[in-house]
Amino acid sequence: MAPSSSSYSTSHLLLLVGSCLLLVSYFAVSEAYTTPHLVKGLSWSFYKNSCPKVESVIRRHLKKVFKKDIGNAAGLLRLHFHDCFVQGCDASVLLDGSASGPGEQEARPNLSLRAAAFQIIDELRELVDEECGTVVSCADIVAIAARDSVHLSGGPDYDVPLGRRDGLNFASSDATVANLPSPNTNASTLIEFLATKNLDATDLVALSGGHTIGLGHCSSFTGRLYPTQDPTMEEKFANDLKEICPASDTNATTVLDIRTPNHFDNKYYVDLVHRQGLFTSDQDLYSYEKTRGIVKSFAEDEALFYEKFVHAMLKMGQLSVLTGKKGEIRANCSVRNSDNIQLKTVVEEDKETSAEL
């Protein structure tokens, strides 16, 4: 029996509504991760001709690394943070100290950076060079590795603008300390600090979400346990921490996110709502009136957290970058090219060969 005209119209109406919903869904997904303005010199396709496979080379290696120890994802993400906040995303944190003074790695806030993270960057430097020669900066390798650390541990995937150059100098210990707030810093102070980097309160809460993976050292939070327990800390959570850190000088670590410590998701914010944030800088985001609502919105909506996290990462990843003819592309990420004895030897050998010819 042929369908009636009314049922025919109804079915077409349903198809039309369904199509509209699909279009709305498509545009919502495609526009979810809004991108900040790019700094001059950076590009979404910077290595399109000189090293088109750089990102696939890095991701392939990191998949192997994280299969052995997913904890290295947090280490690489933190390395990117500590690089960018101190004189910009110029890979200065990778530089060894010299006669002019200790490198950034030796400053107190960086003593807990994972040694494996530096080793992995060196491995990536070598693999990328094998693929393309020394055309990709260490700063870009660090930025790509941070993005892959997020995605390969369950978080969002996103494009990273590239074209950074490596800095020629590391920051002083004082400058490093001044630009890396301690875990004991409250939310109000953090907002003021990030404002100097053109990052706002939403960026602060979103970037803090990086603590959904990784470990914290007892020394960074035992001030909340001893001699008097922080009243903003949930009782059972505090008791569990006291077992891990029975004294203020205990040398141990614990997870930053008690719900899903190795998965990049929004459970860190759920922890904060339940007063189970590890550091003062974490829990105060929920205690402080100006950031509490942002924390709650991220705890309730993981997609919103991902969107704001990506936006904040792209902003942070462009802090005071060197581009164009500024800086250099280090052949060894821990040594300036001018101090690289191995590089100098190769150059001298090339000159001798040319002279003989």
Side-chain angles (χ1 to χ4, degrees), residues 9 23 50 65 67 71 73 85 108 117 120 122 147 155 161 186 201 225 230 232 262 286-287 329 340 345:
S9 299
L23 283 172
S50 61
V65 169
K67 189 173 183 180
F85 279 116
R108 182 165 43 81
I120 293 166
D122 288 341
R147 184 274 313 277
N186 62 37
L225 298 173
D230 185 340
T232 66
N262 293 319
Y286 187 68
S287 301
I329 297 175
N340 191 334
T345 302

Side-chain angles (χ1 to χ4, degrees), residues 157-175:
D157 199 2
Y158 54 96
D159 292 330
V160 177
L162 302 170
R164 299 166 188 78
R165 304 268 289 183
D166 299 323
L168 300 175
N169 300 290
F170 49 76
S172 68
S173 293
D174 287 345

Side-chain angles (χ1 to χ4, degrees), residues 130-167:
E130 287 176 2
E131 176 70 28
C132 312
T134 309
V135 297
V136 179
S137 69
C138 298
D140 276 347
I141 291 174
V142 170
I144 296 169
R147 184 274 313 277
D148 285 356
S149 296
V150 170
H151 178 59
L152 295 177
S153 55
D157 199 2
Y158 54 96
D159 292 330
V160 177
L162 302 170
R164 299 166 188 78
R165 304 268 289 183
D166 299 323

